């Protein structure tokens, strides 16, 4: 992987909305029903920081238990890992420890981590209180953000913040820059073919 490419992986239980978040940040229209992901796939988009372009390869992983050994393979070389849970499903939040341990076992302390509480638009069905997650994120020293694929601005901003954190960790100055997202995106499966 070249210096200009950054591997970002979204990980978490099945049904937490990882695919919808990626679709939203790629500028695709929100769908109320999305089939469970059955193959790891990635989407590419560019971000410009200090007049330098970086390609973000956003990996969508399989959350189903029977595919977890396969997911481990795709974690390797990840620079940014976003742990996703569904605010309307307590069990998906409870599983964050499992996913975090998997990440740490494979990558150690290398990647930049973030916790994303998805489906914030369904707050009336909330099972996971924001205060509980804030406490958890502070204990783990991992940034946290509530998001919704129906309103991708919060996720896009969170993603940009994590990219800046990664670059700053590498000694790249990002303060005061005006960043732009290039919507010349490509969504592919792991074979490099277009993924719909």
């Amino acid at each position: 992987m070249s210096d200009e490419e950054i591997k970002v992986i979204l990980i978490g239980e099945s049904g937490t909305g990882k695919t919808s978040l990626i679709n939203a940040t790629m500028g695709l229209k929100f769908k109320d029903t999305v089939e469970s992901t059955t193959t790891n796939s990635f989407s590419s988009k560019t971000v410009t920081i200090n007049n330098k372009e970086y390609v973000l390869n956003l990996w969508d992983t399989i959350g189903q238990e029977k595919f977890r050994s396969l997911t481990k393979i795709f974690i390797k070389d990840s620079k940014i890992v976003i742990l996703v849970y569904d605010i309307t499903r307590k069990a998906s939040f409870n599983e964050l420890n499992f996913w975090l341990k998997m990440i740490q076992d494979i990558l150690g302390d290398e990647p930049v981590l973030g916790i994303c509480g998805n489906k914030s638009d369904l707050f009336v069905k909330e099972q996971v209180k924001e205060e509980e997650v804030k406490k958890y994120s502070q204990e783990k020293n991992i940034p946290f953000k509530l998001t919704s694929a129906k309103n991708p601005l919060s996720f896009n901003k969170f993603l940009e913040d994590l990219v800046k954190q990664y670059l700053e960790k590498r000694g790249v100055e990002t303060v005061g820059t005006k960043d732009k997202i290039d919507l010349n995106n490509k969504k592919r499966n792991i074979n490099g073919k277009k993924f719909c």
Side-chain angles (χ1 to χ4, degrees):
M1 183 177 290
S2 71
D3 288 340
E4 287 72 31
E5 293 189 4
I6 304 171
K7 183 176 180 179
V8 182
I9 192 164
L10 275 67
I11 197 164
E13 294 298 290
S14 180
T16 54
K18 300 182 296 295
T19 302
S20 293
L21 284 172
I22 289 178
N23 286 344
T25 202
M26 297 295 289
L28 300 177
K29 189 175 180 181
F30 178 82
K31 295 180 181 178
D32 286 322
T33 56
V34 178
E35 290 183 20
S36 292
T37 301
T38 56
T39 181
N40 294 292
S41 62
F42 73 91
S43 304
S44 295
K45 69 186 305 174
T46 59
V47 59
T48 304
I49 296 177
N50 281 345
N51 297 316
K52 181 170 182 178
E53 287 190 349
Y54 298 88
V55 177
L56 305 184
N57 290 324
L58 302 167
W59 282 82
D60 185 7
T61 59
I62 308 169
Q64 298 170 49
E65 189 168 353
K66 62 183 178 180
F67 294 116
R68 284 180 179 176
S69 58
L70 182 61
T71 297
K72 287 181 181 180
I73 297 169
F74 293 94
I75 292 172
K76 294 177 181 177
D77 302 320
S78 298
K79 306 305 180 189
I80 299 171
V81 179
I82 303 175
L83 298 114
V84 183
Y85 73 94
D86 176 351
I87 71 162
T88 70
R89 287 174 42 220
K90 179 77 170 181
S92 68
F93 172 71
N94 292 340
E95 285 296 303
L96 288 186
N97 278 330
F98 168 83
W99 295 110
L100 184 57
K101 184 178 186 310
M102 180 188 287
I103 294 298
Q104 291 171 334
D105 287 347
I106 296 170
L107 298 174
D109 296 326
E110 287 301 309
V112 168
L113 302 176
I115 297 172
C116 177
N118 195 29
K119 306 186 185 180
S120 61
D121 55 295
L122 301 176
F123 64 92
V124 293
K125 298 180 180 178
E126 181 184 62
Q127 291 185 3
V128 187
K129 298 297 181 186
E130 185 176 356
E131 295 74 23
E132 181 180 3
V133 189
K134 282 182 176 177
K135 182 180 178 183
Y136 178 84
S137 71
Q138 288 169 358
E139 288 172 355
K140 302 295 183 183
N141 196 27
I142 302 173
F144 159 66
K145 186 76 173 178
L146 284 175
T147 63
S148 169
K150 289 183 178 179
N151 182 10
L153 292 179
S154 60
F155 180 73
N156 285 345
K157 178 65 170 65
F158 189 51
L159 178 59
E160 288 177 27
D161 288 345
L162 293 175
V163 170
K164 288 180 182 179
Q165 186 180 335
Y166 166 73
L167 292 174
E168 287 167 3
K169 190 175 176 182
R170 289 177 49 210
V172 177
E173 179 65 42
T174 64
V175 177
T177 62
K178 290 186 177 180
D179 308 324
K180 68 174 183 178
I181 296 295
D182 179 359
L183 293 180
N184 182 16
N185 305 312
K186 299 173 184 176
K187 186 164 186 178
R188 302 172 179 165
N189 64 17
I190 58 173
N191 297 319
K193 297 176 184 175
K194 189 171 180 182
F195 182 82
C196 299

